[in-house]
Amino acid sequence: MSLTLTDVTLTYPDGDSRLTALDHVTLDVPRGSLTAVVGPSGSGKSSLLAVAATLITPDTGTVVVDGTATAGLSRAELTDLRRHKIGIVFQQPNLLPALTAAEQLQVMSHIPAEARTRALDLLDAVGLAAQAHRRPHQLSGGQRQRVNIARALMNDPVVLLVDEPTSALDHERGAAVLDLLTRLTHRQATATVLVTHDRTHLTAVDRIAEVHDGRLTSAQARSVSNSREVAQ
Ligand code: ADP
Ligand code: MG
């Protein structure tokens, strides 16, 4: 397993008491597989990604990324882990207006000598080879989302975390983004978690888990028929 959350509970302050956002969540995601976590607004999806991304430390439970237990790591060590092992696709692309698509990717790289080549390769992989020189205002919403996804893969992460990637897209572009994430998961051998309130495009994902009030049903138990074993 390349991303493992075990018995994770997360609460937030809520007036005089606390709100339970994640309630004893356990999730295993192997490399080269895509797990979709589906649940209504407020069910804990973004919280789950924030914990998996090591951006929030849970109250209890453990997070293991590519064999590294995150409990007890310093801030600097967590930053380093994120830079090298975790790609995050936030709901809003947050592209820098002044940079071209290729430059959005290049600025992420921690290996500057290889950055340009890798950026162009990834833009090609997301179908944007011809748009590499374009700035965000010259791209469509769907194209910006694809730059956002390519950027998250720039440092060859083991774990790819994606928050509601289709929420701002029409049906056809939503389906294309899901197809792209499935292909990239297999091509880059990432342990991918995608959270969404929308089941529409989840036909080809490896596993589906549901989250309600912070409680996750077992992803394994809901395996879909095309689920496959991938060599670690
Ligand atoms: P989702 O992404 O499924 O909409 P979230 O993880 O954002 O759900 O939120 C889960 C619950 O935690 C919601 O009730 C939300 O209001 C609450 N919540 C999220 N972030 C915070 C926060 N920073 N402080 C307090 N409560 C929060
Ligand atoms: Mg959310």
Side-chain angles (χ1 to χ4, degrees):
M1 297 295 173
S2 293
L3 171 66
T4 306
L5 276 61
T6 306
D7 208 16
V8 164
T9 293
L10 173 71
T11 66
Y12 296 112
D14 183 33
D16 292 337
S17 65
R18 301 194 65 90
L19 182 152
T20 302
L22 297 174
D23 193 356
H24 299 284
V25 167
T26 292
L27 180 67
D28 278 326
V29 186
R31 288 197 81 156
S33 74
L34 193 160
T35 295
V37 175
V38 189
S41 177
S43 57
K45 302 183 299 295
S46 294
S47 299
L48 174 67
L49 287 192
V51 169
T54 77
L55 293 167
I56 302 181
T57 304
D59 302 32
T60 59
T62 60
V63 178
V64 178
V65 176
D66 195 29
T68 301
T70 61
L73 294 187
S74 68
R75 269 174 178 279
E77 287 167 332
L78 287 176
T79 302
D80 202 52
L81 181 80
R82 279 195 296 275
R83 271 174 59 93
H84 289 92
K85 305 268 184 179
I86 304 174
I88 309 173
V89 182
F90 291 109
Q91 218 165 336
Q92 296 303 322
N94 293 323
L95 299 177
L96 298 165
L99 300 188
T100 67
E103 289 164 351
Q104 310 280 347
L105 274 61
Q106 284 172 248
V107 296
M108 296 297 292
S109 179
H110 52 66
I111 313 172
E114 296 170 11
R116 178 91 189 155
T117 307
R118 180 155 178 83
L120 295 178
D121 175 57
L122 280 169
L123 287 174
D124 188 36
V126 301
L128 292 177
Q131 283 79 26
H133 61 285
R134 294 206 177 167
R135 295 188 165 74
H137 73 273
Q138 300 168 309
L139 299 169
S140 70
Q143 289 173 333
R144 284 197 289 271
Q145 183 63 293
R146 281 188 274 158
V147 174
N148 193 24
I149 292 166
R151 182 176 58 176
L153 293 168
M154 196 54 194
N155 289 324
D156 204 14
V158 173
V159 171
L160 179 64
L161 305 171
V162 190
D163 199 347
E164 306 259 16
T166 60
S167 58
L169 303 177
D170 64 28
H171 185 86
E172 196 178 327
R173 291 197 178 86
V177 163
L178 239 297
D179 178 59
L180 175 66
L181 286 168
T182 306
R183 280 193 292 112
L184 289 171
T185 296
H186 299 145
R187 181 186 194 260
Q188 310 291 124
T190 51
T192 304
V193 181
L194 177 161
V195 304
T196 180
H197 67 275
D198 175 13
R199 283 182 164 276
T200 317
H201 306 298
L202 302 183
T203 47
V205 304
D206 295 295
R207 294 185 291 172
I208 299 177
E210 285 181 28
V211 63
H212 288 284
D213 295 333
R215 282 186 296 276
L216 197 73
T217 60
S218 160
Q220 197 64 63
R222 296 189 62 86
S223 276
V224 292
S225 57
N226 69 339
S227 169
R228 74 212 79 186
E229 292 301 318
V230 176
Q232 296 276 339

